[in-house]
Each structure stands twice: as structure tokens, then as C-alpha cells.
Amino acid sequence: MIEDLEKILFTEEEIHRRIKEVAGEISSDYRGRDLVLVAVLKGAVFFMTHLAQALSIPVRIDFLGIESFSPGRALPGVVRISKDLDIAIQGMDVLIIEDIVDMGLTLRYLLNMLQERHPHSTAVCTFVNKATRRLVDIPVKYSCFEIPDRFVVGFGLDYGQLYRNLTCLGILKKEIYQS
Ligand code: 5GP
């Protein structure tokens, strides 16, 4: 599987170390508050489990399943909710856990949707951030890694549902997705 990568950007050890640092920030920022981590399926699952276990405060966890509308028919950034939250988030501090923020359209939709449920606060924590690709201004409070504009896989991020189980993060070889 690793041979399909052009380059490893971050090793498993680097990823775990960085997640612990971010978890430390989140634990001190949200101590004594009513925090729920909302992971966006499926990519954010690996990040969510590592992050949640590295926190030193008790938190609730929940999952949001989304499907982007197919290109061509799409209103950009409009998504369909395929699995809604189980927890009622009214009055809670919500931290959306994302695998990657790219153009930011998906996240803008999710933030607007969750806002209608009157949480106490909403914020975003992403595993990787492609800030140079942003089309809309999304407040990303926590980001583990800033990455260049290349297609990356691993640690939850997929290509055609594959490679999520890579323990590192890397740039996929062009011949894999051009074949
Ligand atoms: P956006 O922020 O552009 O609305 O949407 C982000 C989504 O685009 C992510 O959830 C992910 O599915 C996909 N995406 C964007 N860049 C990459 C990448 O480099 N690798 C992978 N695996 N998915 C990406």
C-alpha cells in the first residue's frame, strides 16, 4: 500500500505526537464545559478516535454522515445528510472533527445546519488543512497539519474508499488516480 505513495508527508509517529499537542490545547480550552465532538464520516473516524483518547476532559462523541451531490447536478457545497446526530446539541459546545478542509464548502454547509440547532458554540478541528484552496472563509480553530495543494491519502483519507487504513499521510502517486 505504501508503494502507491509518491511521498510520505507525515509518519505515524509524527501524526500521533501532533494529535497529542492539539488535544492538549482543546482540553485546556474546553475544561469545565459541555463538549461534544462531531466527526464527519467516514474520513474523520481515525482522527476522532486518536484525538478523543488524547483529551484529558470527558467529552461526548457523535457522527454525521454526509454525501455530496454528484458533480454536474450539484449546487456547490450542498450536501445530503445520510446519518444525522443522535445527540441534541442545543446549549452544547460543538467541535466538528474533519479529516480535511479543502475549499471549505462542505464545512460551511455543516456549520450553518448545526447553527440552526442552537448550540452554545461551534468550532472546527481538522486533521489537515489545505488553506490555499479555500473558496469560503471558514474559521478553523484547530488544525494538525497545513498541507500543499496535492491529493493526499491515509489516516482516514481515501481514494475511491481505499487507503483510509494507511497509518501515515502521503501524496498518492499520479498514476494511481490517472489510471
Ligand atoms: P471541501 O472543503 O472542498 O468542501 O470538501 C472537502 C472534501 O474534499 C473532503 O471531505 C474530502 O472528501 C475531499 N478532499 C479534498 N482534498 C482531498 C485530498 O487531498 N485527499 C482526499 N482523500 N480527499 C480530499
Side-chain angles (χ1 to χ4, degrees):
M1 180 158 57
I2 205 113
E3 62 279 5
D4 292 345
L5 296 181
E6 177 188 311
K7 186 184 177 193
I8 294 177
L9 290 179
F10 302 104
T11 64
E12 182 176 0
E13 291 71 29
E14 287 168 333
I15 290 171
H16 290 180
R17 201 178 320 129
R18 179 67 186 131
I19 290 177
K20 281 189 186 134
E21 281 175 14
V22 172
E25 285 178 44
I26 295 171
S27 299
S28 70
D29 291 350
Y30 286 92
R31 194 167 297 281
R33 291 167 61 181
D34 206 357
L35 180 61
V36 55
L37 306 181
V38 171
V40 182
L41 295 171
K42 303 171 190 167
V45 167
F46 291 79
F47 178 41
M48 151 82 110
T49 54
H50 280 83
L51 182 76
Q53 290 190 326
L55 294 173
S56 59
I57 55 171
V59 294
R60 293 182 174 84
I61 63 168
D62 207 342
F63 299 92
L64 203 49
I66 59 164
E67 283 169 21
S68 297
F69 283 119
S70 57
R73 289 190 302 157
L75 285 170
V78 175
V79 298
R80 192 181 78 80
I81 302 298
S82 56
K83 191 240 165 264
D84 206 342
L85 299 177
D86 297 321
I87 296 174
I89 57 167
Q90 184 171 3
M92 290 188 186
D93 293 301
V94 176
L95 191 56
I96 301 180
I97 310 296
E98 265 285 19
D99 52 355
I100 186 165
V101 186
D102 185 29
M103 290 184 272
L105 297 167
T106 312
L107 210 41
R108 181 176 64 176
Y109 181 87
L110 292 182
L111 279 166
N112 288 341
M113 185 196 90
L114 295 178
Q115 210 56 53
E116 286 170 12
R117 302 181 187 189
H118 307 292
H120 178 254
S121 71
T122 53
V124 175
C125 174
T126 187
F127 176 53
V128 290
N129 192 19
K130 277 189 192 171
T132 54
R133 292 254 307 162
R134 203 74 91 249
L135 290 182
V136 287
D137 190 22
I138 291 291
V140 175
K141 190 169 182 187
Y142 308 98
S143 167
C144 288
F145 299 108
E146 300 294 319
I147 59 162
D149 181 15
R150 299 295 308 275
F151 191 81
V152 295
V153 293
F155 213 81
L157 285 150
D158 75 308
Y159 170 64
Q161 299 299 330
L162 299 173
Y163 302 105
R164 292 193 199 277
N165 56 326
L166 258 178
T167 55
C168 60
L169 182 84
I171 297 173
L172 193 63
K173 280 183 179 165
K174 278 208 174 88
E175 56 259 43
I176 304 283
Y177 58 87
Q178 284 174 349
S179 62

